[in-house]
Amino acid sequence: MVFSSFVFLLLFLPITLGLYYLAPKKAKNGILFLASLVFYAWGEPVYILIMLFSTVFDYCNGLALEKLEKKNNDKGRRAVLVLSLVVNLGLLCFFKYTDFMIKTMDDILGLNLPVMNIALPIGISFYTFQTLSYTIDVYRKQVKAQHNIVDFGMYICMFPQLIAGPIVRYADVEHQLKINERIINPDRAFSGVLRFSLGLAKKVLIANQSGALFSEISSNGSVSSAVAWLGTFAFAIQIYFDFSGYSDMAIGLAKMLGFDLMENFDYPYMSKSITEFWRRWHISLGTWFREYVYIPLGGNRRGLPRQILNLFIVWFLTGLWHGAGWNFVLWGLYFFVLLVVEKLFLLKWLEKLPSFVSHIYAMLAVLFSWAIFAVDDFTMLRGFIASMFGANGVYSTDFLYYIKSYAVVLVLGVAFSTNYPKKLFKKLTNSNAIKFAVGAILLALSVLMLIGDSYNPFLYFRF
């Protein structure tokens, strides 16, 4: 089930919110937990067992760590942590990377091993990182073990952020799991509805339409340089508005339920360096890798060579986390190289240049990265990159056709990837009536577009 489906908008969400608001306080967490299971099982009736296993497994690990701490059994605590890491990452690797490794071995060794065609459980990359954050933080004594299995299950399975983030660390919502710590009132619900409407509009009105343009261009075997760069630009708009739109919807839904989730995007396309870009893009993932991989490896505390090695490991894993394909690994290592170069000398140069020059550098670097990210077949990737650099000519007449056909969505994509519309909206109104009208218009336009639009994917579902 996706947020931009009529089943969710007209059936699941109204029923869930109605039951949640009408239920007594003691029952609200249970209702949210059960509703989240229904939400997941709608599309993954079998793989819900994997998610439930991970939930119960790490719930028990938390209790075990607490008991062993009281006994001052550090070896036992380390054993529990290792067990949690091995089992959770083992499940993730089995479902996500088994076929990838088989294909890689076939290509290198020519073994002709049959792939297993294992279906990837939706959201496993997200909820695995959430369960791990809980176990690790309990081990570090940064949070207390959760004794209520329903509350813990609700944290892992909560439908707003279950299948595409943001990745919610247990420490960030520990107190919000208690119903008395959550604020549920009309003002917050209204704010949540507005945020959800904005996210839905970003997804349906901009991401879907720019995605259709990229799909049309990428399906063409040979394109001119201008068209290839336009397709990459369209994908850049699609992935940003697709993922940030989903995050907006998740944050809005959580707010309706009384939760405050972290922001996941901060206008990354306004960045003036790759370092800044990754402080603004997919913030929850960057935070997770910093807290649970980079800093434990030593961060920047052990000299420059070790710091570069740590960055290599983080960005190799970041690329691999995004997908079971060597293009994703290449994408991660591409950013690793840029970040190291910036750290060594380029950032100092960029700070001395005019802002618009730094911005152009950052956006060209990011645009090229999306070409690597979007095309997962290496043969096609080589052809597409060759097209970007003029292998099929610099210009063709279809470029003008695409510009004319998609001008509106491209202009909207550029405008709303900046914070200027938000600033303008704040200046123009403080009235809830106008905010309600804007939200209603966005929601109506999104629904009308969904009625006639068959292209409605969520890109990050496959990660």
Side-chain angles (χ1 to χ4, degrees):
M1 192 185 306
V2 297
F3 294 164
S4 55
S5 68
F6 287 117
V7 172
F8 179 83
L9 293 171
L10 303 179
L11 184 64
F12 177 84
L13 184 58
I15 292 175
T16 299
L17 289 177
L19 292 174
Y20 183 78
Y21 288 147
L22 293 174
K25 281 189 173 183
K26 291 183 179 180
K28 288 186 187 299
N29 284 359
I31 287 174
L32 183 53
F33 180 41
L34 292 175
S36 298
L37 294 181
V38 172
F39 175 85
Y40 192 84
W42 191 272
E44 297 282 344
V46 175
Y47 284 142
I48 193 175
L49 298 176
I50 304 298
M51 184 177 66
L52 287 174
F53 168 79
S54 295
T55 301
V56 175
F57 177 67
D58 280 301
Y59 168 77
C60 294
N61 285 335
L63 296 179
L65 287 169
E66 182 182 65
K67 290 183 179 180
L68 291 167
E69 181 186 349
K70 292 178 179 178
K71 296 179 180 180
N72 294 318
N73 188 340
D74 290 336
K75 288 185 179 180
R77 295 179 73 249
R78 283 194 293 271
V80 171
L81 176 63
V82 170
L83 179 65
S84 177
L85 292 171
V86 169
V87 172
N88 282 292
L89 294 177
L91 285 172
L92 177 61
C93 290
F94 173 77
F95 284 102
K96 193 166 184 175
Y97 303 110
T98 298
D99 283 341
F100 169 60
M101 293 307 300
I102 291 174
K103 291 177 182 177
T104 300
M105 291 175 64
D106 282 348
D107 292 339
I108 295 174
L109 302 176
L111 299 178
N112 295 318
L113 297 172
V115 297
M116 299 174 66
N117 293 316
I118 300 172
L120 179 66
I122 292 175
I124 190 171
S125 298
F126 291 89
Y127 68 71
T128 297
F129 274 24
Q130 292 194 181
T131 60
L132 284 176
S133 79
Y134 167 75
T135 307
I136 294 170
D137 285 349
V138 173
Y139 173 80
R140 292 174 171 176
K141 304 178 185 179
Q142 294 177 347
V143 299
K144 295 181 179 179
Q146 174 61 252
H147 286 251
N148 189 314
I149 183 65
V150 173
D151 291 355
F152 184 72
M154 182 189 66
Y155 156 68
I156 299 297
C157 307
M158 190 166 61
F159 74 87
Q161 45 73 47
L162 171 61
I163 50 181
I167 300 169
V168 180
R169 295 170 60 234
Y170 181 80
D172 294 333
V173 295
E174 179 183 11
H175 297 295
Q176 297 180 56
L177 297 178
K178 302 173 184 177
I179 187 60
N180 291 328
E181 298 287 338
R182 298 204 294 272
I183 300 174
I184 305 172
N185 58 40
D187 287 340
R188 286 177 62 82
F190 176 70
S191 176
V193 170
L194 288 180
R195 187 68 180 268
F196 178 86
S197 299
L198 174 63
L200 183 63
K202 289 167 70 173
K203 160 65 182 164
V204 175
L205 302 180
I206 300 180
N208 284 3
Q209 309 315 309
S210 57
L213 172 58
F214 172 73
S215 180
E216 189 173 346
I217 290 174
S218 62
S219 63
N220 192 335
S222 59
V223 295
S224 67
S225 177
V227 172
W229 279 99
L230 178 63
T232 306
F233 181 73
F235 182 81
I237 293 175
Q238 179 192 11
I239 195 168
Y240 171 65
F241 284 94
D242 183 277
F243 195 17
S244 70
Y246 187 98
S247 293
D248 285 339
M249 286 187 274
I251 292 168
L253 289 168
K255 195 172 289 290
M256 296 180 210
L257 300 168
F259 289 88
D260 289 313
L261 303 185
M262 73 178 297
E263 295 292 337
N264 213 18
F265 292 87
D266 183 21
Y267 301 101
Y269 289 159
M270 296 185 72
S271 302
K272 298 177 181 64
S273 68
I274 298 304
T275 301
E276 181 183 358
F277 175 80
W278 277 103
R279 285 200 297 262
R280 293 169 173 260
W281 178 277
H282 204 345
I283 298 170
S284 64
L285 180 67
T287 300
W288 200 96
F289 272 111
R290 184 181 68 248
E291 293 295 325
Y292 301 110
V293 180
Y294 181 68
I295 292 176
L297 286 173
N300 59 0
R301 303 187 305 273
R302 299 183 182 179
L304 183 60
R306 181 56 184 268
Q307 183 183 7
I308 292 175
L309 174 62
N310 294 342
L311 287 171
F312 174 83
I313 293 170
V314 166
W315 284 99
F316 177 87
L317 294 176
T318 298
L320 197 61
W321 180 90
H322 278 85
W326 286 111
N327 68 303
F328 296 111
V329 175
L330 178 62
W331 176 79
L333 295 181
Y334 167 82
F335 278 117
F336 157 73
V337 172
L338 288 178
L339 289 166
V340 169
V341 171
E342 286 190 358
K343 178 173 182 58
L344 292 177
F345 63 88
L346 188 55
L347 270 181
K348 295 179 181 179
W349 292 2
L350 292 173
E351 291 172 357
K352 298 176 182 178
L353 295 173
S355 294
F356 77 91
V357 176
S358 300
H359 180 69
I360 290 172
Y361 147 75
M363 289 305 96
L364 287 176
V366 169
L367 273 181
F368 185 75
S369 81
W370 290 136
I372 301 172
F373 189 94
V375 184
D376 56 9
D377 181 274
F378 260 36
T379 301
M380 294 178 62
L381 177 60
R382 285 195 298 268
F384 191 79
I385 291 177
S387 295
M388 293 175 72
F389 291 95
N392 300 306
V394 175
Y395 178 80
S396 55
T397 55
D398 50 351
F399 174 79
L400 189 58
Y401 164 76
Y402 289 132
I403 289 290
K404 289 180 178 179
S405 301
Y406 291 91
V408 174
V409 69
L410 294 175
V411 170
L412 288 174
V414 171
F416 284 92
S417 63
T418 72
N419 61 4
Y420 300 122
K422 181 180 179 180
K423 289 181 177 179
L424 179 62
F425 182 74
K426 284 186 175 182
K427 285 183 178 180
L428 292 178
T429 179
N430 288 317
S431 168
N432 282 341
I434 296 178
K435 292 178 181 179
F436 176 81
V438 171
I441 291 171
L442 291 176
L443 187 60
L445 288 174
S446 299
V447 170
L448 288 172
M449 186 65 74
L450 284 171
I451 291 174
D453 194 355
S454 60
Y455 186 84
N456 188 33
F458 263 118
L459 294 182
Y460 264 74
F461 278 12
R462 63 189 176 109
F463 308 134

